[in-house]
Amino acid sequence: MEYVIINGDFINRSDAKIDMEDRGYQFGDGVYEVIRVYNGKMFTAKEHLERLMVSGKKIGMEISYSVQEIKDMLTELISKNQLTHGTIYMQVSRGIAPRNHAYPATDVAQTFVANTKSVDRPARNMEKGVNTILVEDIRWLLCDIKSLNLLGNIMAKQKAVDAGCFEAIQHRGDIVTEGSSSNVSIIKDGKVITHPADNLILNGITRQKVLEVCRNNNIPVEEREFSLEELKSADEIFISGTTVEVTPIIEIAGEKVGDGTPGAVSRQIQELFKKAIEEECGCLNN
Ligand SMILES: Cc1ncc(COP(=O)(O)O)c(C=O)c1O
């Protein structure tokens, strides 16, 4: 049996039901997180759950569970579903109320749901690298919030899929922002350069971990805007994210990045990131 959580209850997935007037469903009025599980243990759970709280605050929704309460529920879900390697998805919406744009009264209970998915590390993509396209970033100006509203992101991703590519790299005019579901970093002369954590990108937990391991291992990093020209002339490029970890980009819109194979600095960062996972979650086989 596969369990899911709805408002603190552990129930069979096929019995799970959400009211059609849930504001998450009608307005995308809520926030979410995805946490990686390795060896049955959550990786960077605290960071993800603290971001969930911040995302809630930024939309005027104080999440009714504490970080520890959510962590305890998710730990139990992992155990009930006997999840070894995979992801946990959770979302919190502003609750169920007759459809009206304005927020409902504060005594309306939020809806918290979570489910798990069994999935291995993306070994092949991390090894071989992936190809990408460029798309104009048409999203709103609060991309730092991990909001349920993902239309801009999913439309960008679909363009990539239609072009036979793995990811869409978004740019606002000349400035590269992030992928449709990942952060983008370029490497030039050994230095990692990535968009600053402002309102134009989601400050990825993976991005933050990557910057941390680079700083701790004398790989220079710079958080600053970079242009399409810099992207195209980068020595190496990688995307980072909970599900993609550190995945090299080997092609942009049909043009090779460097020599068209993952570069040495990306490889080093992948190894450092793997070490960080192993420190928290134990040994990885691949
Ligand atoms: C738009 C966007 N940027 C960046 C990321 C990477 O964030 P994280 O490393 O926290 O998974 C994601 C992940 O889903 C995302 O959707």
Side-chain angles (χ1 to χ4, degrees), residues 247-276:
T247 294
I249 292 178
I250 52 169
E251 206 177 285
I252 303 175
E255 300 285 327
K256 277 185 187 166
V257 176
D259 67 0
T261 61
V265 181
S266 303
R267 284 271 180 258
Q268 191 189 352
I269 295 171
Q270 283 179 324
E271 277 310 305
L272 292 170
F273 188 74
K274 183 179 175 187
K275 256 198 220 154

Side-chain angles (χ1 to χ4, degrees), residues 135-140 143 170-173 177-178 200:
V135 301
E136 184 67 39
D137 191 341
I138 54 150
R139 300 171 304 158
W140 71 335
C143 296
Q170 304 178 96
H171 56 95
R172 285 191 194 265
T177 51
E178 63 178 339
L200 299 184

Side-chain angles (χ1 to χ4, degrees), residues 28-48:
D29 183 6
V31 293
Y32 78 105
E33 275 299 329
V34 181
I35 300 179
R36 253 288 185 181
V37 173
Y38 302 101
N39 296 324
K41 296 194 185 83
M42 285 182 271
F43 177 59
T44 53
K46 182 169 172 283
E47 290 84 345
H48 280 280

Side-chain angles (χ1 to χ4, degrees), residues 204-223:
I205 303 302
T206 319
R207 172 190 179 281
Q208 294 172 52
K209 190 53 101 176
V210 162
L211 293 176
E212 181 189 314
V213 298
C214 286
R215 287 184 177 119
N216 290 343
N217 289 277
N218 301 318
I219 300 172
V221 298
E222 206 175 337
E223 293 177 77

